Amino acid sequence: MDYMVHPSAIVDDGAQIGTGSRIWHFAHVCTEARMGKNVSLGQGGFVGNRVTIGDNCKIQNNVSIYDNVTLEEGVFCGPSMVFTNVYNPRALIERKSEYRDTLVKKGATLGANCTIVCGTTIGAFAFVAAGAVVTRDVPDFALMAGVPARQTGWMSAYGERIDLPLSGEGEATCSHTGDCYILVDGRLTHMASGS
């Protein structure tokens, strides 16, 4: 076995887990789950059957990733953040056939105790603040906060706030990497330094 599973964790037969991944105390990974390389699944974590987790994702303690959720490479899930899989759940009504797909794109950060309502897409390198409730799609590099979550700014791929308006046009440089970010018609484009 080329990945680590704590003795208290349960990994069901058939689960695909990449090299270098770590599954911590009391976590549970279901049979059909697919986890990439170097994934960290924190204490008390859960990964459902119809879940795909890309390489280098960091999933903190007490996060359940339910069916129909896909995390691309390098996604960060903060402690106790929540994914839903049914839009209008009722205990007395079976709705397993109504699960909605949720996609979290490369490099996104989902802060502690935030909620991602099913059927949404979180853009690449977006940043969802702690405690926010996301009810609609999030653009690439967007900084989202509040209940329901609203865009309050832009974040660099490095994870620092970029000084640009929410709409219109503009250009800014990340002070840590020198990368340039260009805003056109409310859409942010990342240009690596030297390109």
Side-chain angles (χ1 to χ4, degrees), residues 14-160:
Q16 298 176 28
I17 300 170
T19 302
S21 290
R22 298 167 312 283
I23 299 169
W24 293 102
H25 307 66
F26 310 110
H28 180 193
V29 180
C30 291
T31 299
E32 298 171 33
R34 292 181 291 161
M35 295 174 60
K37 298 176 184 174
N38 300 313
V39 172
S40 178
L41 177 62
Q43 177 176 306
F46 171 79
V47 179
N49 279 305
R50 294 191 309 274
V51 171
T52 301
I53 299 173
D55 296 343
N56 302 306
C57 288
K58 292 188 174 29
I59 301 156
Q60 300 296 295
N61 294 351
N62 303 310
V63 174
S64 292
I65 304 176
Y66 298 119
D67 287 353
N68 294 47
V69 173
T70 299
L71 307 181
E72 291 185 349
E73 174 187 1
V75 170
F76 178 88
C77 296
S80 301
M81 62 82 47
V82 175
F83 289 101
T84 71
N85 58 11
V86 173
Y87 189 77
N88 54 341
R90 291 285 196 197
L92 299 175
I93 299 171
E94 185 73 31
R95 291 205 162 116
K96 290 184 180 178
S97 64
E98 298 178 22
Y99 289 173
R100 296 184 183 185
D101 295 340
T102 299
L103 172 62
V104 184
K105 292 187 176 181
K106 178 180 179 178
T109 292
L110 308 176
N113 295 301
C114 74
T115 298
I116 308 300
V117 174
C118 59
T120 56
T121 296
I122 310 298
F125 299 101
F127 196 103
V128 177
V133 178
V134 174
T135 59
R136 58 190 169 141
D137 291 350
V138 172
D140 294 350
F141 302 103
L143 171 60
M144 306 293 288
V147 179
R150 302 271 187 244
Q151 186 174 359
T152 61
W154 299 100
M155 296 291 277
S156 71
Y158 186 81
E160 295 293 329

